[in-house]
Amino acid sequence: MAGSTMFSLHTREPMNPRFGEVSLDILTDILSNLNNRNKSNLESVSDLCGCLKERRIVECVFHLCEELGLNPAVGYQAIEILERFMAKYIEHLIRSQKGQVASSEDTGKFEELIFQTLKKKFFLSILSSVQIASKLDLYSNVVNNDIAMRFLQAVGYPCSKEQLLVSEILVLKTLNFNLNVPNPLTYVETLLEVLGHNDASVPVAQLHQLCVRVLQFIYLQRETIYNSLLKSATGCSSPSHEQRAKFVSVTEDFMLLGVGVIAVAAFIHHISTWEKVVEELTGITGISGQSIMDFAYVTLIHITKTKSV
């Protein structure tokens, strides 16, 4: 896909969330639910988690959302849907061939068959994940099959409407229609809402604009940033496989990511008050101020090494 816009979707402008309108009781329940889901997710992580958050895939999803006029939240939701779908779909492909592999030669053919199957469907799986995510977002345009087909025609991707529908149904059925998975921007926005409720002087709307950019930067530089965090945490320039495996619980921790993003945004917005924001975030989440500042420090180092976010 070229960098210039090749597709124009004339729909309503995406809306930003409105802060300060949720009652404390509801806000407390939402935060508690997010915290519990984050803990539950961290209990079942594997060293394969995050494989589909590779930069080129993230860039593809973000570009699709930009071309289709979608809110940033749709992109993060689509990435979560795509990662969960691919994990279950690959598991299904492997199970379906179990027992048919008798030799190393058969294994090689089987692996190649799976690779070619995934390669053939991968871009449509990404687009289907974006479509589904757009239907879950309250503030965004819905990407129906007509819009998706117009987009595919605009970029010269050969696909029939039937193939597009089959792809979307495959994602839905593989996930057993279990699509309500939190994304990192949900954590950021909920924490911002709590911050604003606890301290009315916190410029939540301005921080939100910065947070969107910071989170995007972290996702595009995910491997580099988390690798720096791992080296900092272990004190090793070349962490072992065991250390990397244990660190997956950090890379998949959305609550830590949420407070880290807000801390970076607060530092950029007004350095004189960022320590107060970090203190508030510690009180809200129980994550130590040192952990939050370490995350922020590493991210800021990488931001300042890059010409633009």
Side-chain angles (χ1 to χ4, degrees):
M1 268 183 254
S4 58
T5 301
M6 297 175 288
F7 177 77
S8 178
L9 180 61
H10 298 291
T11 54
R12 61 185 174 88
E13 286 293 314
M15 297 169 58
N16 289 319
R18 297 167 63 177
F19 294 99
E21 298 187 0
V22 180
S23 70
L24 179 59
D25 288 345
I26 294 177
L27 198 54
T28 301
D29 287 344
I30 293 173
L31 185 62
S32 176
N33 178 261
L34 287 176
N35 188 46
N36 290 336
R37 296 185 73 166
N38 187 56
K39 287 180 178 178
S40 176
N41 182 55
L42 293 178
E43 288 172 358
S44 59
V45 295
S46 73
D47 55 3
L48 296 178
C49 287
C51 289
L52 286 177
K53 290 171 184 170
E54 192 267 341
R55 176 167 181 154
R56 288 173 297 176
I57 297 173
V58 171
E59 283 180 338
C60 180
V61 172
F62 285 172
H63 186 71
L64 275 173
C65 291
E66 183 180 350
E67 289 289 310
L68 295 167
L70 303 173
N71 264 3
V74 175
Y76 298 106
Q77 193 73 33
I79 291 169
E80 293 305 310
I81 290 171
L82 177 67
E83 185 166 54
R84 283 163 172 74
F85 161 69
M86 291 301 293
K88 288 184 176 294
Y89 185 54
I90 292 172
E91 184 182 335
H92 168 74
L93 289 176
I94 293 172
R95 276 204 315 266
S96 67
Q97 296 295 322
K98 194 173 182 180
Q100 298 183 29
V101 179
S103 65
S104 58
E105 184 179 348
D106 289 337
T107 300
K109 290 179 180 179
F110 174 52
E111 290 174 350
E112 179 63 20
L113 177 63
I114 289 180
F115 174 75
Q116 292 301 329
T117 300
L118 296 175
K119 180 180 177 181
K120 184 178 179 181
K121 297 181 178 181
F122 193 58
F123 180 69
L124 276 187
S125 297
I126 294 175
L127 181 56
S128 295
S129 298
V130 171
Q131 276 189 272
I132 294 167
S134 76
K135 296 172 184 179
L136 299 173
D137 189 72
L138 297 175
Y139 303 103
S140 220
N141 306 305
V142 170
V143 182
N144 58 33
N145 285 345
D146 289 333
I147 292 171
M149 282 302 300
R150 282 165 47 202
F151 174 78
L152 291 173
Q153 290 166 3
V155 299
Y157 186 92
C159 178
S160 67
K161 186 174 284 190
E162 182 181 359
Q163 288 174 310
L164 188 63
L165 182 60
V166 168
S167 175
E168 185 176 7
I169 291 174
L170 176 63
V171 174
L172 292 169
K173 286 188 173 180
T174 302
L175 293 175
N176 199 27
F177 294 86
N178 182 19
L179 309 170
N180 187 25
V181 290
N183 66 72
L185 191 55
T186 302
Y187 282 81
V188 170
E189 291 177 346
T190 303
L191 289 167
L192 280 175
E193 187 78 67
V194 177
L195 264 178
H197 184 276
N198 291 351
D199 185 353
S201 68
V202 176
V204 173
Q206 293 95 319
L207 286 180
H208 179 262
Q209 293 177 7
L210 286 169
C211 283
V212 170
R213 299 292 299 279
V214 170
L215 182 58
Q216 183 182 63
F217 176 86
I218 291 173
Y219 255 58
L220 291 171
Q221 300 290 332
R222 187 176 187 273
E223 183 178 354
T224 304
I225 289 174
Y226 279 111
N227 196 43
S228 295
L229 279 170
L230 172 59
K231 289 178 180 179
S232 175
T234 60
C236 301
S237 58
S238 300
S240 65
H241 176 75
E242 290 75 14
Q243 288 172 320
R244 291 185 180 279
K246 289 180 179 179
F247 198 70
V248 174
S249 61
V250 175
T251 65
E252 296 303 306
D253 190 338
F254 279 0
M255 195 64 80
L256 174 62
L257 176 59
V259 295
V261 166
I262 295 172
V264 172
F267 185 94
I268 295 171
H269 182 265
H270 213 305
I271 189 172
S272 65
T273 59
W274 92 289
E275 288 187 1
K276 181 182 177 183
V277 171
V278 170
E279 186 179 334
E280 284 284 347
L281 290 170
T282 294
I284 293 168
T285 63
I287 298 173
S288 73
Q290 188 62 53
S291 295
I292 297 172
M293 287 190 283
D294 287 346
F295 190 104
Y297 174 75
V298 168
T299 304
L300 286 162
I301 288 295
H302 285 285
I303 288 175
T304 55
K305 283 183 179 178
T306 308
K307 291 182 179 178
S308 61
V309 175

